[in-house]
């Protein structure tokens, strides 16, 4: 091999070596840049962090002091995060996170004065096209109240319906978690860079199909992840109150999330435990099936303060509720797209209900009367319902099995009310009788007094006559 | 120009044989005509046409005249800019079957053969390269000894051989 040929090969090797060294030593900077641009694209908001590092040899990445959003409108942040990533998979275009740990995750959820969530990208422009196959709203669906009067569930419902209607627009220009396609049209970029671009339509169609298949299979895998010291920071600007009960502690765990690299069928798992600052506790475990069997959900919540849940769903409930505690527990809850089974137990204690103008009658009882009776019953004992679920998640069916029998409970309440009213009646009658007795007594006493006076006068008169007769004889 | 003269001088004075000379032209045509960058975004290797890189690798491994290839590639690139690229593109549009294109896109997308320009330049480049090789190699093989004999005796050959630039290049090339 001639010298010039050896030289060319050497130059090629040096270039490759420099490129490898550049990637190795510039990995942190490259990662930081990718994290910033990717984070901003994903959140649709500025992203900042104190430090970000990537080790290609170890296949790990660290991020410290991450903040998404602005100072005045923060969206989320965390103190530390560490990811162990499969390098081979990354080179193949897949993201495989073998283990991950995030400490101090904070999610900010704010509803402004107009009832708009801080994560809302806003409504689409008038010219945005609706999805042709967007599901029509259910005919019996309750219309939503004006935006400024909605609770969090109603806000979420409106967002979801809007997203389904304009999915194409949000996918292109950024959805509820930001994102969206890049502004640059890839075809346009190719035309500028390549002098003679173009390929058969059949190739373009096949590539689109392959990309769609890859997208459907998923490119993300999380083997094991833990989130420690999680908290949400919520505020309803309309009331100045939090939207959700404040968490005293919360940890979340994830197992086998995403597309398994080995085609495994072990279920995905997401679980968490939390305690509330007010003393309640929350625990859940979701199991996502990969073998065709229904998914599972275990949820247990105790001593949830109803007052703090009102911003979440208070306006979705047909009665005004105040005070009291709520406990929720699921039993063998299973669901799939065409299956829903299991039961949910709800227990209310110490709650007070009040009817609204639009509150429905219950069991043929007027709403106001029902609330009055229920409040009496709730004052005596907790009320528990078990909802036996059926149907499908999209069209759920349920039967209420009363652990506290509604008939008994209302019957007892009615009996108590009758006794109360009878007691009131008796008391009222008693007072009247006592008054009458007093009046008659006073009348009799007066008559007696008058008689006494009369007799006294009669006696005086007779004594006078007797004394007068004796003097005449003398 | 100096490179051409030097190559010619080396060929004539016996330092480059006919095959090396013809192979230089062969690879020069291919390297000059094939697009260097990827035509279909995201399918190449680091943004480059894998077929061009493969041809470059084979060219470096084989004993082909590098100066001749560089010179030919430059010349062909000029012609490509003028009209060969357009001709190759239109040829690709007319000749590339959908089925073959889909197969190539699935199996070897990096080669860019599933694009009109990539396919057209590959086919046209190969035809031109083979044509030049077939034309040049027998001619050089037949004529080179005679030219060497005649040219080696001329003052020009001696002058070229003694010119310090050529001496320097001659030492580098070995």
């Amino acid at each position: 091999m001639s010298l010039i040929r050896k030289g060319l090969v050497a130059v090629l090797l040096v270039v490759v070596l420099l490129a490898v060294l550049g990637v190795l030593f510039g990995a942190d900077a490259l990662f930081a840049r990718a994290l910033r641009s990717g984070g901003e694209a994903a959140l649709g908001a500025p992203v900042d962090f104190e430090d970000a590092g990537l080790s290609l040899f170890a296949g790990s990445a660290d991020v410290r002091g991450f903040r998404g959003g602005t100072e005045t409108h923060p969206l989320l942040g965390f103190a530390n995060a560490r990811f162990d990533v499969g390098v081979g998979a990354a080179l193949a275009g897949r993201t495989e996170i073998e283990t991950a740990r995030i400490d101090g995750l904070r999610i900010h959820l704010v509803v402004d004065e107009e009832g708009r969530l801080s994560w809302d990208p806003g409504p689409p422009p008038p010219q945005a096209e609706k999805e042709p196959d967007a599901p029509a709203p259910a005919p019996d669906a309750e219309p939503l109240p004006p935006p400024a009067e909605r609770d969090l569930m109603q806000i979420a419902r409106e967002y979801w319906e809007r997203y389904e209607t304009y999915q194409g627009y949000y996918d292109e220009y950024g959805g509820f978690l930001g994102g969206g396609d890049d502004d640059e049209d890839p075809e346009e970029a190719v035309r500028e860079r390549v002098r003679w671009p173009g390929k058969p339509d059949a190739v373009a169609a096949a590539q689109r199909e392959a990309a769609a298949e890859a997208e459907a299979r998923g490119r993300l895998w999380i083997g094991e992840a833990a989130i420690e010291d999680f908290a949400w920071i919520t505020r309803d600007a309309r009331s100045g109150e939090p939207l959700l009960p404040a968490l005293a502690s919360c940890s979340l765990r994830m197992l086998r999330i995403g597309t398994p690299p080995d085609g495994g069928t072990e279920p995905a798992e997401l679980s968490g435990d939390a305690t509330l600052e007010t003393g309640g506790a929350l625990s859940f475990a979701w199991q996502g099936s990969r073998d065709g069997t229904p998914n599972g959900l275990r949820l247990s919540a105790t001593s949830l303060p109803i007052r703090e849940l009102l911003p979440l769903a208070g306006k979705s409930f047909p009665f005004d509720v105040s005070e009291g505690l709520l406990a929720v527990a699921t039993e063998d809850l299973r669901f799939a797209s065409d299956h829903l089974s299991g039961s949910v137990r709800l227990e209310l204690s110490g709650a007070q209900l009040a009817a609204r103008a639009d509150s429905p009658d219950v069991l043929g009882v007027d709403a106001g009367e029902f609330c009055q009776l229920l409040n009496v019953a709730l004052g005596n004992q907790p009320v528990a319902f078990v909802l036996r679920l059926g149907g499908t998640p999209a069209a759920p069916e349920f039967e209420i099995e009363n652990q506290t029998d509604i008939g008994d409970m209302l019957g007892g309440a009615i009996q108590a009310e009758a006794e109360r009213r009878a007691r009131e009646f008796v008391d009222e009658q008693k007072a009247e009788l006592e008054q009458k007795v007093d009046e008659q007594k006073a009348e009799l006493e007066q008559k007696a007094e008058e008689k006494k006076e009369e007799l006294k006068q009669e006696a005086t008169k007779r004594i006078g006559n007797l004394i007068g007769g004796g003097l005449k004889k003398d | 120009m100096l490179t051409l003269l030097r190559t010619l001088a080396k060929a004539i004075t016996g330092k480059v044989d006919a095959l090396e000379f013809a192979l230089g032209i062969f690879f020069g045509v291919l390297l000059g005509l094939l697009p260097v960058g990827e035509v279909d975004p995201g399918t190449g290797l680091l943004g480059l046409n894998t077929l061009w890189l493969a041809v470059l690798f084979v060219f470096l491994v084989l004993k082909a005249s590098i100066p001749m290839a560089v010179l030919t590639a430059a010349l062909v690139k000029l012609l490509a800019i003028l009209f060969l690229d357009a001709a190759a593109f239109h040829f690709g549009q007319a000749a590339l079957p959908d089925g073959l294109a889909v197969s190539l896109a699935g199996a070897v997308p990096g080669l860019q053969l599933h694009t009109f320009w990539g396919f057209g330049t590959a086919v046209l480049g190969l035809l031109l390269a083979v044509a030049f090789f077939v034309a040049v190699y027998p001619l050089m093989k037949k004529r080179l000894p005679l030219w060497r004999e005649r040219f080696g005796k001329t003052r020009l050959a001696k002058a070229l051989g003694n010119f310090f630039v050529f001496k320097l290049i001659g030492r580098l090339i070995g």
Side-chain angles (χ1 to χ4, degrees), chain A residues 238-376:
Chain A
R238 299 168 296 184
S239 62
E241 297 290 320
L243 285 163
L244 297 169
L247 295 173
S249 69
C250 180
S251 61
L252 304 170
R253 289 168 300 282
M254 287 177 263
L255 280 176
R256 301 180 292 275
I257 303 295
T259 309
D262 53 1
T265 56
E266 279 191 281
E269 290 181 20
L270 175 64
S271 59
D273 294 292
T275 57
L276 306 184
E277 286 186 353
T278 49
L282 185 68
S283 169
F284 75 94
W286 167 82
Q287 213 172 51
S289 168
R290 288 195 173 94
D291 59 2
T293 57
N295 306 303
L297 176 67
R298 177 186 60 73
L299 173 68
S300 166
T302 56
S303 302
L304 297 180
I306 291 174
R307 178 193 288 273
E308 297 194 20
L309 295 176
L310 293 180
L312 174 66
K315 289 174 182 168
S316 303
F317 192 62
F319 298 93
D320 285 334
V321 191
S322 60
E323 306 305 329
L325 297 172
L326 173 70
V328 183
T330 62
E331 187 179 340
D332 196 26
L333 184 58
R334 301 262 161 196
F335 61 96
S337 59
D338 58 350
H339 176 87
L340 180 64
S341 65
S343 62
V344 180
R345 183 179 189 276
L346 300 171
E347 184 180 298
L348 280 170
S349 55
Q352 291 294 300
L353 273 70
R356 295 186 200 137
D358 58 346
S359 295
D361 294 349
V362 181
L363 299 173
V365 181
D366 170 71
E369 194 76 12
F370 171 76
C371 290
Q372 198 177 351
L373 293 172
L374 195 62
N375 289 341
V376 172

Side-chain angles (χ1 to χ4, degrees), chain A residues 72-318:
Chain A
T72 50
H73 298 288
L75 293 176
L76 64 83
F78 53 78
N80 290 296
R82 180 182 173 84
F83 307 92
D84 291 323
V85 184
V87 178
L91 292 174
R94 275 174 54 86
T95 303
E96 285 186 13
I97 298 173
E98 290 160 0
T99 59
R101 183 188 165 100
I102 301 176
D103 291 312
L105 178 62
R106 298 287 180 272
I107 290 183
H108 297 258
L109 212 59
V110 177
V111 170
D112 65 16
E113 287 82 357
E114 296 170 356
R116 208 179 104 156
L117 201 62
S118 50
W119 292 72
D120 185 5
Q127 65 270 21
E129 290 183 9
K130 291 183 177 180
E131 291 296 309
D133 53 352
D140 57 345
E142 288 272 331
L144 287 169
E149 297 173 14
R150 289 174 189 161
D151 62 30
L152 196 55
M153 296 283 281
Q154 291 168 328
I155 291 171
R157 180 185 143 195
E158 189 272 330
Y159 285 2
W160 181 248
E161 289 174 356
R162 178 150 45 95
Y163 177 73
E164 282 193 317
T165 307
Y166 296 100
Q167 189 176 358
Y169 168 80
Y170 285 116
D171 286 349
E172 185 173 359
Y173 296 104
F176 292 96
L177 284 175
D181 297 338
D182 294 338
D183 290 333
E184 186 182 36
D185 179 5
E187 289 297 325
E188 190 63 36
V190 171
R191 276 189 212 101
E192 287 179 6
R193 189 158 50 82
V194 179
R195 282 194 299 135
W196 295 94
K199 57 194 171 190
D201 292 339
V203 172
Q207 287 175 333
R208 277 197 299 273
E209 194 178 329
E213 278 179 18
E215 197 66 35
R217 282 201 306 274
R219 298 172 185 272
L220 174 69
W221 168 253
I222 300 175
E224 185 179 352
I227 299 174
E228 300 293 341
D229 185 23
F230 169 71
W232 49 54
I233 299 164
T234 64
R235 189 170 63 84
D236 189 339
R238 299 168 296 184
S239 62
E241 297 290 320
L243 285 163
L244 297 169
L247 295 173
S249 69
C250 180
S251 61
L252 304 170
R253 289 168 300 282
M254 287 177 263
L255 280 176
R256 301 180 292 275
I257 303 295
T259 309
D262 53 1
T265 56
E266 279 191 281
E269 290 181 20
L270 175 64
S271 59
D273 294 292
T275 57
L276 306 184
E277 286 186 353
T278 49
L282 185 68
S283 169
F284 75 94
W286 167 82
Q287 213 172 51
S289 168
R290 288 195 173 94
D291 59 2
T293 57
N295 306 303
L297 176 67
R298 177 186 60 73
L299 173 68
S300 166
T302 56
S303 302
L304 297 180
I306 291 174
R307 178 193 288 273
E308 297 194 20
L309 295 176
L310 293 180
L312 174 66
K315 289 174 182 168
S316 303
F317 192 62

Side-chain angles (χ1 to χ4, degrees), chain A residues 39-60:
Chain A
E40 288 179 354
L43 292 175
V47 158
D48 196 13
F49 42 86
E50 293 169 9
D51 190 25
L54 176 69
S55 169
L56 287 177
F57 287 121
S60 64

